[in-house]
Amino acid sequence: MGDVLAGNHATWEFDTDSLLIRFERGIRTPRLLQSLRERRVPYSALSSVELSPGKRGTVVLHAVPRPGADPLLEAAAGQLKEGCDPYRLSLPADRETLAEYYADELRTALGPDASQPADRFLVAAPEAPMQFKAYDGRAGFDGSLVSFRWSWTGASSAKWKAGDQTFPVADLCGVEWRSPEATEGYLRLVPRGAATDACGPAPVPGLDAPDAAGRRVQADQDPAAVLFGVGYGPVHESLPFAAAVLESVRRTQSPPPAPALAPVGAPSHDPAAVAERMRHLGELHRAGLVTDDEYSAKKAELLAEL
């Protein structure tokens, strides 16, 4: 597409095969989005596109990722507030027509498997090395090893007895993150061979993971977990950390996928869909939302798709 759409806190740049989201670093931008800086999202990672009314005279363009496509959202497990959702772009209400146009453009770019969960991560996780300070220790990740170094002011006697911990990514099954904005927030690593030797759904908060004997262990007693608290393990530090570890764990579990071969000579777009987009483009041009040069360039792109 090659276009840019600027909204509150972020700018979306539409490339040929992906959406580049750049987040602002202003004082009003949520700290999680500031820490992410930018994210490239392949269109194949999206399941749908929604446009809805927002708050205080805005509209919200929402690119909905496929389940399993983004390690950040997988680690968050539905705990992110709307304002921290990196896939929501808030725009002034008077730009709704333009937002509708880009929503249609995105929908036509969705991959053939948009309705299916992704079998691997398609969006890159934040890069290591990373670290953050938890209530009972300090967590670090260098890309292959996760380390927990206990604090003498917060760590339980069970953790002191176990000593500082180092976990190779290859020895982990998964990651559990419970938001520090909720009670009993924590980051837990799930080692291979623990209890069922599988990564199932996250355990009930407060009960947490079973030990080798099948007994439930509280997060403050588990050497594979660090606790959050007021000022400790904030979302913008602990969630990208969890996503980076989760992505590394998944990468060690599965071989790299074979590249998909595109059918030779297959048309890339439905002519009827292209005609509808040209009609919509004409409406934007007549409304003054697209300049003459932008109209001519986009029309040529659409004709080239036929």
Side-chain angles (χ1 to χ4, degrees):
M1 299 179 192
D3 299 342
V4 175
L5 183 61
N8 300 335
H9 309 320
T11 298
W12 286 13
E13 181 176 334
F14 301 87
D15 290 339
T16 304
D17 58 357
S18 61
L19 173 65
L20 178 61
I21 304 176
R22 291 191 172 96
F23 301 104
E24 296 180 357
R25 298 184 64 82
I27 191 172
R28 296 181 181 274
T29 304
R31 297 188 71 181
L32 173 63
L33 302 186
Q34 292 188 49
S35 71
L36 295 176
R37 298 185 180 180
E38 69 176 40
R39 311 196 80 208
R40 184 170 292 279
V41 182
Y43 297 136
S44 59
L46 300 178
S47 66
S48 63
V49 183
E50 302 170 352
L51 184 65
S52 60
K55 299 178 180 178
R56 294 185 291 276
T58 62
V59 293
V60 176
L61 184 59
H62 187 196
V64 183
R66 296 165 58 190
D70 186 346
L72 188 84
L73 295 193
E74 289 298 298
Q79 299 174 74
L80 277 183
K81 296 179 179 178
E82 283 189 354
C84 292
D85 186 338
Y87 291 91
R88 295 170 63 89
L89 182 68
S90 179
L91 300 154
D94 60 7
R95 305 190 73 191
E96 182 174 4
T97 302
L98 190 61
E100 288 178 350
Y101 169 72
Y102 283 107
D104 288 341
E105 290 279 281
L106 275 176
R107 292 186 185 108
T108 63
L110 297 181
D113 299 323
S115 61
Q116 302 297 321
D119 58 2
R120 60 188 176 90
F121 290 139
L122 301 172
V123 182
E127 295 183 355
M130 308 178 75
Q131 63 178 0
F132 70 89
K133 188 175 182 181
Y135 174 74
D136 55 358
R138 183 174 292 276
F141 178 50
D142 64 4
S144 59
L145 295 173
V146 183
S147 62
F148 292 160
R149 301 290 180 259
W150 306 123
S151 166
W152 67 272
T153 57
S156 65
S157 58
K159 291 183 177 180
W160 273 112
K161 183 177 180 180
D164 293 341
Q165 300 290 300
T166 301
F167 301 86
V169 165
D171 293 345
L172 299 178
C173 175
V175 178
E176 298 167 8
W177 179 82
R178 180 163 174 80
S179 175
E181 297 177 347
T183 58
E184 300 180 351
Y186 60 81
L187 171 71
R188 184 195 303 278
L189 307 176
V190 184
R192 294 181 183 274
T196 60
D197 196 28
C199 290
V204 177
L207 294 180
D208 301 332
D211 61 12
R215 297 184 298 268
R216 291 289 179 178
V217 180
Q218 298 284 347
D220 68 331
Q221 303 295 310
D222 186 356
V226 289
L227 296 180
F228 302 150
V230 178
Y232 295 95
V235 172
H236 71 280
E237 294 180 357
S238 62
L239 180 56
F241 184 103
V245 175
L246 180 60
E247 192 276 338
S248 294
V249 169
R250 295 283 179 84
R251 189 170 62 246
T252 63
Q253 292 176 345
S254 304
L261 299 178
V264 177
S268 58
H269 292 86
D270 177 31
V274 174
E276 175 61 22
R277 291 162 64 195
M278 291 183 66
R279 182 193 66 77
H280 199 173
L281 178 64
E283 292 179 353
L284 292 172
H285 183 235
R286 289 189 292 273
L289 296 173
V290 174
T291 66
D292 292 343
D293 290 342
E294 291 172 336
Y295 173 74
S296 298
K298 179 58 68 174
K299 183 178 179 181
E301 289 181 16
L302 293 174
L303 289 174
E305 295 178 6
L306 294 175

